Amino acid sequence: MTRSNHQPDAKLDLVLERIVDVPRELVWIAWTTPEHVKKWFTPAPWTTVDCEIDLRPGGIFRTVMRSPEGQEFPNVGCYLEVIANEKLVWTNVLGPGYRPCNQPSKVACDAISFTAVISLEPHGNGTKYTALVIHGDEEGRKKHEELGFHDGWGKALDQLVALVKKM
């Protein structure tokens, strides 16, 4: 099996890397089970009110986030690579079945196009967690960073860890 091995580019990519004190198998379950994703994926006070996962390359990764004011934001993506307990790669540039998201009115694609690579490595009794978010241009990376990438993805990871510790 050929595995992707993207090297981050500081001009185009954002990285969140942490050691968390929970096993990677439980982090994987939290990332790949819709009922769990709904509990941690969106940093509070936002919520994730719906999630659909077809965990295979070409399968759907769909979430609906709700703002504190009640506005809903659907997000549709496509899994590109799935290696149990190790790596999860998905993009919002493609919809299910690798269909390009070129009709935003019909397919809810994010305003910022990216591909996310979630890598999980064993680290003692915990996990080395790396979220690499690959953007197509510097403008997209900058916008994502300004919208609070590190804070938002960091809070979501904290929520994931708290959930996993209750499992």
Side-chain angles (χ1 to χ4, degrees):
M1 170 188 288
T2 303
R3 296 181 182 199
S4 64
N5 188 17
H6 181 82
Q7 296 301 313
D9 178 335
K11 293 180 182 179
L12 300 172
D13 305 332
L14 295 168
V15 179
L16 174 72
E17 187 173 271
R18 271 203 218 155
I19 303 299
V20 295
D21 63 345
V22 292
R24 72 180 180 158
E25 293 79 11
L26 294 180
V27 175
W28 179 263
I29 290 169
W31 256 106
T32 59
T33 307
E35 289 309 308
H36 294 319
V37 171
K38 291 192 298 188
K39 294 175 184 172
W40 70 265
F41 188 72
T42 310
W46 286 62
T47 57
T48 302
V49 295
D50 197 16
C51 178
E52 179 182 359
I53 291 175
D54 179 5
L55 193 61
R56 62 182 176 82
I60 191 169
F61 178 49
R62 182 183 62 81
T63 60
V64 178
M65 295 183 275
R66 183 177 293 151
S67 73
E69 298 76 31
Q71 187 176 6
E72 293 190 354
F73 297 86
N75 302 284
V76 175
C78 175
Y79 288 110
L80 303 175
E81 188 174 8
V82 178
I83 303 171
N85 301 312
E86 290 183 30
K87 187 184 274 187
L88 193 60
V89 182
W90 54 275
T91 187
N92 66 356
V93 178
L94 300 173
Y98 305 109
R99 295 274 176 212
C101 288
N102 57 1
Q103 298 178 5
S105 62
K106 295 182 181 177
V107 180
C109 291
D110 292 331
I112 301 171
S113 298
F114 64 85
T115 297
V117 180
I118 307 300
S119 300
L120 309 173
E121 298 176 40
H123 188 272
N125 291 330
T127 303
K128 179 180 177 188
Y129 178 97
T130 305
L132 166 64
V133 182
I134 304 165
H135 300 84
D137 56 39
E138 290 182 45
E139 180 182 334
R141 185 211 46 85
K142 183 179 178 187
K143 182 177 179 183
H144 201 174
E145 188 170 39
E146 289 171 352
L147 285 171
F149 167 81
H150 289 96
D151 185 51
W153 284 58
K155 284 181 181 176
L157 178 57
D158 292 342
Q159 292 169 178
L160 179 151
V161 169
L163 171 69
V164 166
K165 286 182 176 183
K166 294 177 187 174
M167 292 168 62

